[in-house]
Amino acid sequence: MGGTEAWSVPPRADVVVIGGGIVGAAIARELSRYQLSVVVLEKAPDVAAGTSKANSGILHAGFDAEPGSWKARLNVRGSQIYAQIAEDLGIPRRVIGSLVVAQNADEMVTLEALRQRGISNGVVGLAIWDRDQVLAHEPHVSPEIAGALWAPSAAVVCPFLATAGFAENAVRNGVQIVTECPVTAVETEAGAVVAVMTPRGRIETRHVVNAAGVFSGHVSRMAGDDSFSITPRKGEYILFDKAVSHLANSVLFPTPDKISKGILVSPTVHGNIFIGPNASPVEDPEDQETTPEGLAAIVAGAQRIVPDLPVQAAITEFAGLRAVAGKDFVIGPSPMVKGLVHAAGIQSPGLTSAPAIAEVIVESLRDTGLVLRPRPEFNPTNPKRPKFIEQPVDVQAALIAENPLYGRVICRCETITEAEIVAAIRAPGGARTLDGVKRRVRPGCGRCQGGFCGPRVTAILARELGIAVTEVRKDSAGSRLFFPRSQGAVGENEHA
Amino acid sequence: MHEPYYDVVTIGGGPAGMAAALGAREAGADKVLILERDRELGGILQQCIHNGFGLRRFQAELTGPGYAHRYIEMVEKAGIDVWLDTTVLATAPGGAVSCVSPTGGPQTVRAGAVVYAMGCRERTRGAIRIPGSRPAGVFTAGAAQRMVNMEGYLPGHDVVIIGSGDIGLIMARRMTLEGARVRAVFEIMPYSNGLTRNIVQCLNDFSIPLYLSHSVVAVHGHDRVTGVTVAQVDSHFAPVPGTEFELPCDCVLLSVGLIPENELTRSAGIHMDSVTGGAVVDQFRQTSAQGFFAAGNVLHVHDLVDWVSREAETAGQSAARFAHGALGGTGGALAVSAGAGVRTVVPQRLVPPTGDEKSVRFYFRATQPLQPAILALHADDNVVWQRRLRVVKPSEMVVADIQVATLFQGAENLTFTISPATE
Ligand SMILES: Cc1cc2nc3c(=O)[nH]c(=O)nc-3n(C[C@H](O)[C@H](O)[C@H](O)COP(=O)(O)OP(=O)(O)OC[C@H]3O[C@@H](n4cnc5c(N)ncnc54)[C@H](O)[C@@H]3O)c2cc1C
């Protein structure tokens, strides 16, 4: 039976997926089409706790990867199948196209090379635009530019909701996701996987999928496979208020260098604008701190594309880590351990590629002996959750008549009602923490960043989860928000 | 669907909304409605359990809830309708106010005139771009104040406060009285942003240090805050290398400014003042949209609630007069601008006087502290009015009443300046 009973692991499973990021969640959902017992083990309190929550959220068109690489193949395939997936799973997605901006004639030459590469990768609709065409589409781009490469198929999604959408559908189809459950050992016998160990117990299994993101090298070595290792590479971001959303209509890239796609300016699917990421190697796979140098660098980079960027309209900053194993993804059976399949080193465009990675991994599992019998009752869709504010008045009236909590607005920046928050908590694999609610339905994502709704959402979480307010957490186990008021506190006007 | 009609509707039931509703009633509006999203009236006052409210308005030193309570009683006595737990989603030309509540569902109210009184919200960590990690334990001072005073929970035990806004200062005292340790208040400006009396009563009395020209340059901690890095800043607010020091703490409270909450106003296409963050209004507090008025912190951030009540009363009275056809539109206005030394001035426009009023009250914020100073009014190029001020501080509002006769002498531009005066 599916579910997210956080405190138990089953004694055995046909497949154990390590990691509840976009890759692990997409694989679990793909596996849930078959008659299998599947368990996802995630060390964090929620899905998408690693790289999958802090990235650019772009479904890349697929012109920049080396033809023939996993990246190139899976990016283009992923980008094609996302439309249906987003519809089925309720993932917010907008096709807005992307522009790679060239500052001079040299960079225009690079654009032509990118276009050729895109054509060999199977990307459709690529076109080179001159300066005037670019400025007509993007009036806030620097008039100094020379031109741009237009890719109409680029889209933006909410990366958290993409992961949560896959995870919810997997759970609806019988997968068990256990959060706060790190895998501490992968046991092998005669070079083949037999079980994984966690603080919550041991799970016997013959098939382990390593989708542990920046920790995937670590997990691989746990099983005795040291064929690759991961270097985390940090990318920092600044998110802007919706008041400045007019600054970009499509994803705006600089002409890429060797290391990354560069610092971009882009709309989010929710209608904000963000800038970033930079690329700096770090040691600590948990290091998600933003830095003054990093933030300054991305502002400078973004201003090369959009000079009038109003820095004072920033509403938040964050950072994510790319899991870099080499030039390409590490995908397929381990060369050293039988039963271990890697979906590792999934750097950009991993978000875009995830559904295609899932297809390849399921084929790998079949090749390594997993029997795949389709499950006739597989349901590919998640139920639609209406966004109150987007409904016409008669629908709003009907929603409130059925559930009065639709009439109570909790988040005033994004107009989110109590009913939507409660639904996010009660959903399969639903929110357990303040950040979990924030990431699913967005209270706290607006310009007040939870200043107004934070205490209210905390109270709703406590009520829905049946816990004390002092037990409600921001995110991880150590992240409680409030403490009991101490005895003997002095009244405001009683002190001498 | 049936759309109820009211002469005047106020959006928000804090001190501004209540005073506007009462002002409207006094000026003869029969049907007055307050729309409030919370479950009680009073707005931010309900969480301000400290003293210091009402010295001017009631000649008494009240707590926030005490001040609110007096107004709530007056609202009840005046027979003003109040819809609680009701959020306004949009306003439209002609006075249509759409709102939603659990019991009433989505509804549209028709209003003869509307007063925006939504108050303000706090600036956040993101808005001032403090680098570092994003652990639990970082709160805006107002959110923390609500948790302590209204819900009865503490946001931490070992506190660092960023910014010397009044709520931060008040919370420094509150947290100390709750048994927490308050390490320091760090202010990036070379002067404090709070009222002098709050510095004395909330910091000095409790030996809490206030560091001016200092900024928190990083927040640390993975799960919960474990500390901050602080540095001195130069005159361009850039950290001075070598001055950094670390301070352990489990809680960071932010008091780095308030921003008028104008989503509704903006989406109604009303002309805004980019410095106050509120609408551009005339002396009646009418915005660029006919029949839409604004008052209180939604218009410009006030330092004292007494000013808010006073201003809102004017707005409410004017709204009632507009609803009855006794107040004109927004045409023929004279621009009032903030000149040297003046950061903000409200009202920003003057329409021709209706004959009843003798003077117009102006509210100013200065750009920098001065002692003493001259506040002057320039009509075109001539100084037509001036007043000597003993001290001016950016954190304290300057208020001046100026005779109608002085203001309307045929000049095309009115500009206020604040400049240093010689001793
Ligand atoms: C700055 C940046 C920008 C990017 N932009 C884009 C973009 O625009 N478009 C795009 O397509 N891609 C983009 N990417 C890439 C994309 O974000 C990643 O490829 C994708 O999120 C990787 O997902 P994942 O599931 O492999 O890793 P993760 O999301 O990191 O998931 C791994 C999970 O495994 C868990 N885990 C680790 N160890 C254990 C253990 N021992 N036991 C249990 N659980 C464990 C972790 O807690 C984590 O939740 C970007 C990446 C970065 C960093």
Side-chain angles (χ1 to χ4, degrees):
Chain A
M1 199 39 244
T4 45
E5 301 93 297
W7 292 100
S8 60
V9 293
R12 62 188 61 81
D14 293 327
V15 185
V16 169
V17 178
I18 305 177
I22 185 78
V23 173
I27 292 169
R29 193 256 186 170
E30 194 60 28
L31 286 169
S32 74
R33 297 174 186 274
Y34 304 98
Q35 298 177 34
L36 295 169
S37 59
V38 179
V39 182
V40 177
L41 301 177
E42 169 54 57
K43 70 186 173 71
D46 205 344
V47 297
T51 307
S52 298
K53 74 165 188 302
N55 56 60
S56 305
I58 295 163
L59 300 182
H60 293 288
F63 51 75
D64 35 19
E66 190 85 38
S69 63
W70 281 120
K71 279 186 177 178
R73 284 157 57 195
L74 300 176
N75 181 335
V76 175
R77 166 87 184 143
S79 154
Q80 286 161 355
I81 60 181
Y82 247 106
Q84 184 63 44
I85 290 172
E87 176 63 30
D88 286 347
L89 302 184
I91 300 169
R93 169 179 171 273
R94 281 198 293 146
V95 181
I96 56 174
S98 67
L99 285 165
V100 181
V101 175
Q103 302 278 354
N104 51 46
D106 281 357
E107 292 190 346
M108 288 300 284
V109 175
T110 312
L111 292 192
E112 181 50 33
L114 278 179
R115 193 178 74 90
Q116 290 304 334
R117 184 183 272 198
I119 291 168
S120 6
N121 287 350
V123 184
V124 293
L126 294 174
I128 303 279
W129 283 4
D130 66 21
R131 176 181 166 281
D132 292 349
Q133 279 172 296
V134 177
L135 291 176
H137 188 73
E138 296 287 353
H140 297 278
V141 161
S142 162
E144 314 279 292
I145 62 143
L149 172 64
W150 168 243
S153 59
V156 284
V157 292
C158 168
F160 180 86
L161 290 180
T163 311
F166 280 112
E168 176 180 340
N169 193 247
V171 172
R172 288 185 183 280
N173 285 298
V175 170
Q176 189 176 349
I177 298 179
V178 189
T179 54
E180 299 191 62
C181 190
V183 171
T184 51
V186 179
E187 293 176 20
T188 56
E189 266 170 30
V193 170
V194 292
V196 299
M197 270 307 292
T198 80
R200 306 219 170 139
R202 179 172 183 268
I203 307 175
E204 283 180 15
T205 183
R206 301 201 161 273
H207 298 278
V208 169
V209 177
N210 174 11
V214 280
F215 294 92
S216 54
H218 179 72
V219 164
S220 179
R221 280 190 300 283
M222 272 182 200
D225 173 355
D226 58 4
S227 57
F228 68 95
S229 61
I230 298 288
T231 321
R233 195 186 286 155
K234 192 195 280 185
E236 295 164 72
Y237 291 95
I238 302 178
L239 183 76
F240 290 91
D241 196 291
K242 286 185 180 169
V244 301
S245 295
H246 57 278
L247 291 177
N249 298 316
S250 48
V251 184
L252 303 173
F253 298 101
T255 303
D257 57 25
K258 291 261 148 20
I259 303 176
S260 77
K261 298 183 191 78
I263 288 156
L264 49 113
V265 179
S266 174
T268 69
V269 76
H270 302 292
N272 299 79
I273 295 275
F274 73 87
I275 63 172
N278 56 342
S280 47
V282 294
E283 304 264 302
D284 177 2
E286 312 255 2
D287 175 359
Q288 299 193 1
E289 296 204 1
T290 53
T291 62
E293 309 78 50
L295 297 178
I298 61 174
V299 169
Q303 283 175 338
R304 290 194 61 208
I305 305 180
V306 178
D308 300 332
L309 202 75
V311 187
Q312 68 285 0
I315 56 177
T316 189
E317 298 80 35
F318 59 92
L321 298 179
R322 305 170 184 85
V324 182
K327 280 185 79 176
D328 207 357
F329 300 153
V330 178
I331 288 191
S334 155
M336 302 171 75
V337 180
K338 195 166 172 287
L340 176 65
V341 174
H342 296 302
I346 310 295
Q347 44 181 304
S348 190
L351 176 67
T352 321
S353 309
I357 294 174
E359 294 174 343
V360 172
I361 293 295
V362 170
E363 283 315 307
S364 274
L365 286 164
R366 191 204 300 267
D367 292 347
T368 55
L370 186 70
V371 181
L372 300 177
R373 270 189 303 272
R375 223 167 44 85
E377 63 277 33
F378 173 75
N379 178 355
T381 61
N382 289 334
K384 297 259 177 298
R385 291 205 189 86
K387 270 194 163 176
F388 179 82
I389 192 65
E390 289 169 4
Q391 308 303 314
V393 175
D394 55 330
V395 176
Q396 290 183 338
L399 285 170
I400 297 173
E402 197 188 301
N403 179 359
L405 296 185
Y406 274 110
R408 182 171 298 135
V409 175
I410 298 293
C411 165
R412 58 189 180 183
C413 301
E414 303 270 324
T415 317
I416 296 151
T417 65
E418 185 163 354
E420 291 161 85
I421 292 170
V422 168
I425 299 170
R426 292 188 185 165
R432 291 288 167 276
T433 61
L434 199 60
D435 279 355
V437 172
K438 171 175 167 176
R439 291 174 192 142
R440 281 172 179 80
V441 277
R442 299 179 50 74
C445 291
R447 53 186 68 132
C448 93
Q449 290 286 300
F452 175 81
C453 60
R456 290 162 174 85
V457 176
T458 303
I460 295 170
L461 270 165
R463 184 189 74 207
E464 290 296 315
L465 301 177
I467 58 177
V469 164
T470 48
E471 302 287 306
V472 176
R473 305 181 322 197
K474 178 173 186 285
D475 188 23
S476 56
S479 68
R480 298 233 169 113
L481 290 155
F482 298 104
F483 304 96
R485 213 168 158 180
S486 45
Q487 303 294 311
V490 189
E492 191 76 42
N493 304 305
E494 293 162 24
H495 63 280
Chain B
M1 215 184 280
H2 169 69
E3 292 181 353
Y5 174 84
Y6 283 88
D7 298 312
V8 175
V9 173
T10 78
I11 304 177
M18 290 194 286
L22 285 161
R25 201 87 176 82
E26 238 168 67
D30 273 341
K31 294 201 67 188
V32 179
L33 172 65
I34 298 177
L35 298 174
E36 166 58 50
R37 70 178 151 226
D38 224 320
R39 291 173 201 209
E40 59 182 347
L41 291 175
I44 199 80
L45 287 175
Q46 296 292 11
Q47 67 185 55
C48 303
I49 62 167
H50 54 280
N51 268 337
F53 298 88
L55 277 172
R56 286 193 166 75
R57 176 64 182 77
F58 294 113
Q59 285 76 49
E61 182 148 3
L62 305 172
T63 63
Y67 189 97
H69 192 70
R70 291 206 181 189
Y71 265 93
I72 293 171
E73 282 190 333
M74 292 190 278
V75 164
E76 278 170 6
K77 279 214 193 83
I80 291 167
D81 283 356
V82 178
W83 295 1
L84 297 175
D85 210 357
T86 303
T87 304
V88 174
L89 300 176
T91 56
V97 178
S98 358
C99 58
V100 63
S101 77
T103 48
Q107 284 198 71
T108 301
V109 180
R110 294 268 150 205
V114 173
V115 182
Y116 292 116
M118 293 86 77
C120 58
R121 61 161 179 266
E122 299 179 275
R123 288 182 78 197
T124 62
R125 171 175 174 189
I128 57 170
R129 293 189 307 288
I130 303 172
S133 59
R134 313 184 55 74
V138 181
F139 302 93
T140 55
Q145 186 181 43
R146 183 181 169 100
M147 278 320 272
V148 178
N149 294 346
M150 293 178 73
E151 320 284 338
Y153 299 100
L154 284 189
H157 296 111
D158 195 353
V159 185
V160 162
I161 297 180
I162 304 181
S164 60
D166 287 309
I167 311 178
L169 301 177
I170 300 278
M171 280 306 285
R173 173 173 65 189
R174 184 71 250 155
M175 292 302 291
T176 310
L177 296 175
E178 293 287 338
R181 169 170 185 181
V182 178
R183 301 236 175 204
V185 175
F186 296 102
E187 170 58 57
I188 196 166
M189 303 299 284
Y191 49 82
S192 153
N193 265 314
L195 295 172
T196 309
R197 71 166 194 227
N198 284 335
I199 306 263
V200 175
Q201 294 170 9
C202 300
L203 300 187
N204 301 357
D205 287 1
F206 296 90
S207 310
I208 298 168
L210 167 63
Y211 291 80
L212 299 175
S213 297
H214 275 74
S215 167
V216 168
V217 294
V219 172
H220 307 293
H222 185 65
D223 303 321
R224 191 69 212 185
V225 180
T226 54
V228 293
T229 306
V230 183
Q232 201 178 322
V233 298
D234 62 21
S235 55
H236 304 291
F237 310 115
V240 178
T243 63
E244 298 89 357
F245 60 99
E246 307 274 324
L247 215 53
C249 62
D250 71 355
C251 176
V252 174
L253 299 183
L254 290 159
S255 184
V256 292
L258 300 169
I259 305 170
E261 183 163 320
N262 276 302
E263 278 71 15
L264 290 173
T265 329
R266 249 188 228 106
S267 46
I270 285 168
H271 193 172
M272 305 297 290
D273 178 331
S274 62
V275 186
T276 57
V280 170
V281 293
D282 60 29
Q283 70 267 42
F284 301 109
R285 298 299 181 272
Q286 187 161 210
T287 66
S288 62
Q290 285 211 10
F292 287 84
F293 296 76
N297 278 357
V298 79
L299 186 56
H300 53 139
V301 176
H302 290 248
D303 53 350
L304 297 176
V305 70
D306 310 63
W307 299 135
V308 168
S309 301
R310 168 71 196 259
E311 174 176 272
E313 216 171 282
T314 307
Q317 287 162 354
S318 315
R321 288 168 66 195
F322 180 89
H324 295 151
L327 183 72
T330 54
L334 181 63
V336 179
S337 15
V342 180
R343 208 167 69 81
T344 64
V345 54
V346 173
Q348 299 93 334
R349 299 148 29 93
L350 293 177
V351 290
T354 56
D356 304 340
E357 69 274 23
K358 291 195 186 56
S359 66
V360 172
R361 174 163 288 190
F362 289 90
Y363 297 86
F364 309 93
R365 293 266 185 180
T367 52
Q368 55 173 16
L370 286 174
Q371 186 172 8
I374 301 276
L375 169 65
L377 167 61
H378 309 252
D380 294 337
D381 290 327
N382 309 317
V383 173
V384 293
W385 176 95
Q386 63 177 34
R387 179 194 292 170
R388 192 182 162 85
L389 305 167
R390 208 167 43 79
V391 270
V392 297
K393 297 179 180 170
S395 59
E396 294 179 13
M397 194 99 100
V398 177
V399 181
D401 294 318
I402 300 180
Q403 298 299 309
V404 162
T406 312
L407 295 166
F408 295 94
Q409 296 180 11
E412 283 174 15
N413 290 299
L414 295 180
T415 304
F416 286 95
T417 56
I418 296 178
S419 49
T422 40
E423 287 286 347

